Amino acid sequence: MTAPNNRERILPRLIDEEMKDSFINYSMSVIVSRALPDVRDGLKPVHRRVLYAMNELGLVPGRPYKKSATVVGDVLGKYHPHGDSSVYDALVRMVQDFSLRHPLVDGQGNYGSIEGDPAAAYRYTEAKLTPIALELLADIEKDTVDFAPNFDDRLEEPTVLPAAFPNLLVNGSQGIAVGMATNIPPHNLREVHKAIQALVANPDTSVDELAKFIKGPDFPTGGFIQGKQGIHDYLRTGRGRIVMRAKAAIEERESSNKSQIVITEVPYQVNPAKVVEDIADLVREKKLEGISALRNESDKDGLRLVIECKRDAIPRVVLNQLYKHTQLQSTFGVIMLALVPDPQTRRLVPKELNIREVLVHYVEHRHEVIVRRAQFELQKAKDREHILEGLKVAVDNIDAVITLIRESADTEAASAQLQARFALSEKQAEAILNMRLAKLTGLEREKLEEELAEVRATIAGLEELLANKPKRMALLLEELAEVVRKYGDERRTEILADDGEMTIEDLIADEEMVVTVSHAGYIKRTSVATYRKQRRGGTGSSASGLRDDDFIEHLFIASTHSYLLVFCDDGRMFWLKVHAIPEGGKATKGKPIVNLINVSPETGISAILPVREFPDDQFLFFCSKNGTVKKTRLSEYGNVRAAGVKAVKVEDGDELMDVQITTGSNDVILATRDGLSIRFPETDVREMGRDTTGVKGITLGRDDAVVGMVVVKRTAALLVVTEKGMGKRTPVDEYRVQGRGGKGIITQDVTPKTGAVVSVLEVVPEDEVMLITKGGTAIRCPVGEIREIGRNTQGVRCINLDGDDRVTAVARVVSEEKDGVAGGEDVAPAGAGGDEAEEG
């Protein structure tokens, strides 16, 4: 008989609708009851239950700790119908000072570490509330918040805490629900307080105005925030991407002539032990270079990771590689998602909020708490006034009251007669019956009058407060200011400006470097300040520790932030950052350039050009040793590729001699080894693509070759230097303009005394030049001390050479040293080396 009735109660329903409704109910249960924090107190249900249960257990500051197992058991048995691990995990996180900006639980025992060590089991640890946690629970007994039945309707639990400080912003929150997640970073309490003050003073305060007070996240682990764009995004929209960096310092170790990088603060939620492990793996895999040792020197005083650099490594480049390849730089994706009470239904709904909306909801919550507290205290004061008024009646009519009570048959009769005789309420009559005889003394009667006056004053004050919203808002700020005074502290996380994506240049000083490349392909950079300025004719100083069969072939001055365009003998071009070149002293030989760019060891380097940008209105002007010239827009070389690009088409038997940057309208001077030169307008050479050969620039004699190219950019002189150390200046005006392709005119009287021409430069008297010889000797001297004479002359002695040594390279120093010295060698005496001009 029961089966037909059961079938009658079965309702047909589509399975997809049932699954949809069931999943929505499940997801909303997870969202509201487990995963997302309340915008008002910043707590999830499990955290709220832990704090409330601990407060009910009396685990407050000033009292002994109790086992965490006591807390976990109490929370599970009364409020939280889930696993014990969820409760203990929540408790542990509220203890950790590296997880919360202001921990809410004071723990005793092993609660884990920033290096990923897990907390001990809850039977081994103890806990109680911190003082600031009491601020979240303050006045909860005064009907300031709503309570709801617990899971079995035996008890009641708060649906939200009074929250005397904005915990959601101060401590942040993380959670993953169904189809949504929240990730709110911690902030500085003092900054949030200032923003609330501004919002209360002017409810129309905009997000941009509030952003002036809240600078951004303030993580408990400190560190740096790189850039402000992500902060601006989440403050305005509720979403943003925060780039966090470890706090690192580069220390020089004089004893070993090495540098070390010391990490003292790591990004939020980054495990230092895992970072050390990752660095070690990357070094083993040779993805990180320049690291010789790695140590974790952290102790009870704080974090300290030490990374020792190799002698030839650039510490700032190593640090940048660490930022790029490890969690020493990581991101925090902000999602300001929280549960917000619906104004009509008061049900909690998830909503993504900007910083203003979060503060508005908090201020509204605190205002409601103050109103409900005032109403509770007002009712309590009125109840007390009512009792005191009854007691006063009794004291004023004490004889009649005593007689009435003595004549009454029992307590109920006495109460009824008191109410009827003196127009008292039941509560007043009960209070009179419970009154002690001591209250009848004169002193106690005075106290009764005083208490009644105080209660009536309290009632008047509370009624005024409830009728005056500005006064309530002032009280809100006053109470928050007191919390900030007790617990506010300075910002721990420093915010650094960032104009764009992080680059190595952000960590490297912009300074001039002498870059040298030897004939065997060794490259290095040395600070310009290493070389002392000398007078011409001096003996120079050692610039490279080269082998006997090697010599310096390229020398130029470039900024650490510049690119080097490296042109190879096969016509390819590669990009190389100057700061990526190993820095060495004057006596070091450097590092093979083929190790820095993607070429084979057999590839020869024909020219190297330092550039900083790739504008479309500038050109690269090429010249080969056979006198072929070509120009191509610089912008065509701006797309950096690891494999290089085809820069120029070089014919068989020819070599690329030089490349320079032009504006497209300069004059160009080509000088040959035999002392001839030609000057022609750059406009005579049409613009060409990258993979082209070019046109004839000068007609060469037998066995002659182009050794120098000058792009005339200023009214100056042409400096000609020969391999025997002779040099001279000749005004550029003495070089008449011709059509390209001619044989040119004499620029140097080449004799056995002078040797062949090795270089020509455009200079002014205020310039300085650096000469380097085949033997690795260098001299830096003022151009003004080199005599200005005519084209067809031999010049003056610029450097004294030993034996068969000869000059191989010359470069102009672009940043003049104001103090006149830049090294450790003695300044040569005036006139050393001979001043005579050899006329042709």
Side-chain angles (χ1 to χ4, degrees):
M1 295 297 293
T2 58
N5 292 333
N6 287 338
R7 281 198 297 269
E8 289 175 2
R9 287 196 293 269
I10 295 175
L11 300 176
R13 183 171 173 82
L14 293 175
I15 189 169
D16 58 341
E17 292 182 0
E18 178 63 27
M19 291 182 66
K20 179 180 177 181
D21 291 345
S22 298
F23 187 77
I24 289 174
N25 292 334
Y26 163 72
S27 62
M28 287 305 298
S29 173
V30 172
I31 290 168
V32 175
S33 302
R34 295 173 65 181
L36 298 185
D38 193 302
V39 71
R40 298 167 292 179
D41 62 5
L43 298 171
K44 300 177 187 177
V46 64
H47 298 97
R48 189 179 301 115
R49 288 163 176 166
V50 168
L51 295 178
Y52 181 68
M54 291 180 72
N55 189 53
E56 291 293 292
L57 287 168
L59 298 179
V60 296
R63 292 190 181 180
Y65 294 90
K66 281 191 178 180
K67 288 286 186 181
S68 300
T70 302
V71 178
V72 174
D74 205 58
V75 172
L76 289 178
K78 293 180 177 178
Y79 309 116
H80 199 66
H82 300 284
D84 60 343
S85 61
S86 63
V87 176
Y88 189 53
D89 288 348
L91 175 66
V92 167
R93 188 173 186 275
M94 289 192 288
V95 173
Q96 295 171 341
D97 59 1
F98 52 86
S99 294
L100 267 63
R101 188 62 176 77
H102 294 276
L104 301 176
V105 177
D106 181 6
Q108 186 167 267
N110 175 20
Y111 277 93
S113 72
I114 193 175
E115 296 188 342
D117 300 314
Y122 52 63
R123 62 182 179 274
Y124 298 119
T125 61
E126 297 179 332
K128 63 181 178 179
L129 295 174
T130 60
I132 196 171
L134 294 183
E135 304 293 346
L136 291 177
L137 294 153
D139 300 323
I140 195 171
E141 73 283 358
K142 295 182 179 179
D143 192 34
T144 51
V145 294
D146 292 334
F147 279 70
N150 70 337
F151 59 87
D152 59 2
D153 291 337
R154 290 186 301 111
L155 303 168
E156 286 194 332
E157 60 177 315
T159 58
V160 66
L161 297 187
F165 70 96
N167 181 59
L168 182 65
L169 288 178
V170 171
N171 276 325
S173 184
Q174 292 85 39
I176 299 176
V178 179
M180 59 184 66
T182 186
N183 201 25
I184 302 173
H187 295 78
N188 187 270
L189 178 57
R190 291 178 179 174
E191 293 180 3
V192 176
H193 173 227
K194 291 177 181 177
I196 292 175
Q197 283 181 315
L199 186 62
V200 170
N202 178 16
D204 295 327
T205 303
S206 67
V207 175
D208 291 336
E209 291 171 327
L210 293 174
K212 296 176 182 178
F213 303 103
I214 299 179
K215 307 300 181 184
D218 188 20
F219 299 111
T221 53
F224 296 116
I225 292 176
Q226 189 72 16
K228 299 181 179 180
Q229 185 58 49
I231 297 174
H232 293 164
D233 290 342
Y234 90 80
L235 290 179
R236 288 160 178 76
T237 67
R239 284 181 179 261
R241 180 176 175 272
I242 306 297
V243 179
M244 305 177 294
R245 279 189 183 177
K247 186 175 183 180
I250 296 176
E251 299 178 356
E252 302 293 336
R253 301 181 62 188
E254 297 181 359
S255 58
S256 60
N257 196 25
K258 284 185 177 181
S259 300
Q260 63 182 22
I261 299 170
V262 180
I263 309 295
T264 54
E265 296 174 3
V266 294
Y268 185 49
Q269 296 178 326
V270 167
N271 184 341
K274 182 65 166 58
V275 170
V276 172
E277 183 181 334
D278 290 344
I279 293 174
D281 291 341
L282 290 168
V283 171
R284 277 193 296 270
E285 296 168 4
K286 297 186 177 180
K287 293 182 180 179
L288 279 180
E289 297 181 352
I291 297 176
S292 61
L294 176 64
R295 298 189 303 278
N296 188 345
E297 298 180 356
S298 304
D299 55 21
K300 63 180 182 179
D301 296 325
L303 177 71
R304 181 178 170 87
L305 306 181
V306 179
I307 302 155
E308 290 193 8
C309 301
K310 295 179 180 178
R311 281 191 174 87
D312 60 344
I314 305 168
R316 296 186 185 278
V317 173
V318 173
L319 178 58
N320 189 72
Q321 291 175 341
L322 291 170
Y323 282 143
K324 182 177 181 181
H325 296 292
T326 72
Q327 285 189 302
L328 291 179
Q329 174 171 307
S330 58
T331 58
F332 188 99
V334 180
I335 306 174
M336 303 271 284
L337 182 70
L339 296 175
V340 177
D342 185 89
Q344 281 75 37
T345 64
R346 301 292 293 175
R347 294 180 60 184
L348 296 176
V349 293
K351 185 178 180 182
E352 206 166 284
L353 309 163
N354 62 29
I355 195 69
R356 185 182 184 279
E357 291 170 326
V358 173
L359 295 176
V360 166
H361 283 293
Y362 173 75
V363 170
E364 289 176 350
H365 172 61
R366 278 305 295 173
H367 179 259
E368 182 181 348
V369 167
I370 290 173
V371 169
R372 292 181 62 162
R373 183 183 63 194
Q375 290 173 340
F376 176 87
E377 292 176 345
L378 177 61
Q379 186 59 50
K380 187 175 180 181
K382 286 183 176 181
D383 290 344
R384 182 59 179 167
E385 180 191 32
H386 183 64
I387 297 298
L388 291 173
E389 288 174 343
L391 293 177
K392 188 174 182 299
V393 169
V395 170
D396 292 342
N397 300 275
I398 189 61
D399 294 335
V401 168
I402 293 174
T403 301
L404 186 150
I405 294 174
R406 289 179 62 185
E407 293 176 352
S408 299
D410 53 27
T411 303
E412 291 183 1
S415 175
Q417 291 186 47
L418 285 172
Q419 294 176 46
R421 173 81 179 271
F422 299 104
L424 300 175
S425 68
E426 183 178 351
K427 289 184 178 180
Q428 287 175 322
E430 183 181 354
I432 292 171
L433 292 171
N434 293 329
M435 183 175 64
R436 296 169 56 198
L437 291 176
K439 292 286 185 182
L440 301 178
T441 64
L443 182 61
E444 288 296 325
R445 293 171 63 183
E446 290 181 7
K447 288 183 178 179
L448 185 64
E449 295 283 352
E450 290 176 0
E451 185 181 359
L452 184 57
E454 289 177 1
V455 169
R456 286 172 175 170
T458 300
I459 292 173
L462 290 171
E463 288 176 341
E464 182 184 359
L465 179 66
L466 289 170
N468 190 334
K469 184 174 182 179
K471 194 169 184 177
R472 296 195 297 272
M473 301 307 287
L475 179 61
L476 184 155
L477 293 179
E478 181 182 334
E479 292 177 348
L480 180 57
E482 180 61 19
V483 174
V484 174
R485 185 191 66 79
K486 291 180 182 177
Y487 309 106
D489 56 8
E490 296 296 326
R491 165 173 282 277
R492 298 180 189 175
T493 303
E494 185 177 349
I495 301 173
L496 305 177
D498 186 16
D499 295 329
E501 186 179 351
M502 185 271 295
T503 63
I504 296 178
E505 285 78 5
D506 295 328
L507 304 173
I508 295 179
D510 189 357
E511 57 182 339
E512 300 296 332
M513 289 285 173
V514 176
V515 180
T516 58
V517 185
S518 74
H519 181 72
Y522 285 88
I523 187 170
K524 70 170 182 177
R525 64 185 175 99
T526 307
S527 175
V528 170
T530 304
Y531 297 90
R532 177 187 292 273
K533 185 190 300 182
Q534 299 186 25
R535 298 181 64 86
R536 67 172 180 84
T539 57
S541 61
S542 174
S544 181
L546 299 174
R547 304 191 310 265
D548 292 340
D549 58 346
D550 196 7
F551 60 91
I552 298 297
E553 191 169 11
H554 301 281
L555 180 147
F556 48 84
I557 312 298
S559 163
T560 50
H561 288 193
S562 295
Y563 277 102
L564 296 187
L565 304 186
V566 183
F567 298 88
C568 301
D569 54 7
D570 59 3
R572 286 186 298 162
M573 188 203 77
F574 294 87
W575 294 263
L576 180 63
K577 278 288 190 176
V578 172
H579 59 67
I581 301 170
E583 185 172 4
K586 292 187 293 182
T588 58
K589 68 179 181 179
K591 188 174 183 179
I593 193 171
V594 293
N595 291 351
L596 304 177
I597 58 176
N598 189 19
V599 296
S600 63
E602 297 78 21
T603 304
I605 305 302
S606 299
I608 303 176
L609 179 67
V611 299
R612 195 151 189 165
E613 297 176 338
F614 298 87
D616 193 54
D617 58 350
Q618 293 184 0
F619 297 84
L620 286 183
F621 199 91
F622 298 79
C623 177
S624 73
K625 289 188 176 181
N626 287 350
T628 301
V629 295
K630 182 191 86 163
K631 73 174 180 181
T632 306
R633 288 191 183 273
L634 182 58
S635 57
E636 293 198 24
Y637 299 88
N639 187 14
V640 180
R641 302 176 192 170
V645 296
K646 192 72 173 177
V648 61
K649 190 173 183 179
V650 180
E651 294 181 338
D652 293 339
D654 198 2
E655 284 185 47
L656 183 63
M657 190 279 304
D658 195 9
V659 185
Q660 294 194 35
I661 296 177
T662 68
T663 63
S665 59
N666 301 104
D667 284 351
V668 178
I669 298 177
L670 305 181
T672 73
R673 185 167 53 209
D674 290 345
L676 296 175
S677 66
I678 187 172
R679 176 179 181 179
F680 58 87
E682 183 186 348
T683 52
D684 283 0
V685 181
R686 62 181 175 85
E687 180 184 340
M688 303 179 187
R690 288 204 316 263
D691 193 11
T692 53
T693 303
V695 296
K696 180 177 287 188
I698 186 172
T699 300
L700 301 175
R702 185 181 180 84
D703 298 328
D704 199 4
V706 177
V707 295
M709 176 175 68
V710 170
V711 177
V712 181
K713 298 179 181 178
R714 54 184 178 171
T715 304
L718 201 67
L719 174 67
V720 182
V721 180
T722 68
E723 62 183 0
K724 294 294 184 69
M726 305 296 288
K728 66 171 183 174
R729 287 185 294 140
T730 303
V732 172
D733 293 341
E734 291 195 20
Y735 294 85
R736 68 179 185 272
V737 178
Q738 304 173 255
R740 67 170 180 82
K743 293 184 177 181
I745 59 177
I746 295 175
T747 189
Q748 170 73 36
D749 181 14
V750 176
T751 67
K753 178 180 178 179
T754 64
V757 176
V758 295
S759 180
V760 292
L761 294 172
E762 186 185 27
V763 295
V764 295
E766 294 76 18
D767 286 342
E768 297 172 6
V769 292
M770 186 172 291
L771 288 71
I772 285 195
T773 70
K774 181 179 180 180
T777 300
I779 185 171
R780 177 181 176 188
C781 64
V783 167
E785 295 186 3
I786 301 175
R787 183 172 298 176
E788 184 172 286
I789 50 183
R791 288 187 293 104
N792 194 12
T793 55
Q794 295 181 9
V796 298
R797 179 75 56 191
C798 295
I799 184 172
N800 284 326
L801 301 174
D802 296 330
D804 58 354
D805 200 7
R806 59 185 176 86
V807 176
T808 58
V810 183
R812 180 167 52 85
V813 180
V814 296
S815 58
E816 181 179 357
E817 294 291 331
K818 301 300 182 183
D819 58 3
V821 292
E825 287 72 29
D826 294 332
V827 178
D835 298 346
E836 73 281 3
E838 302 290 346
E839 300 295 339

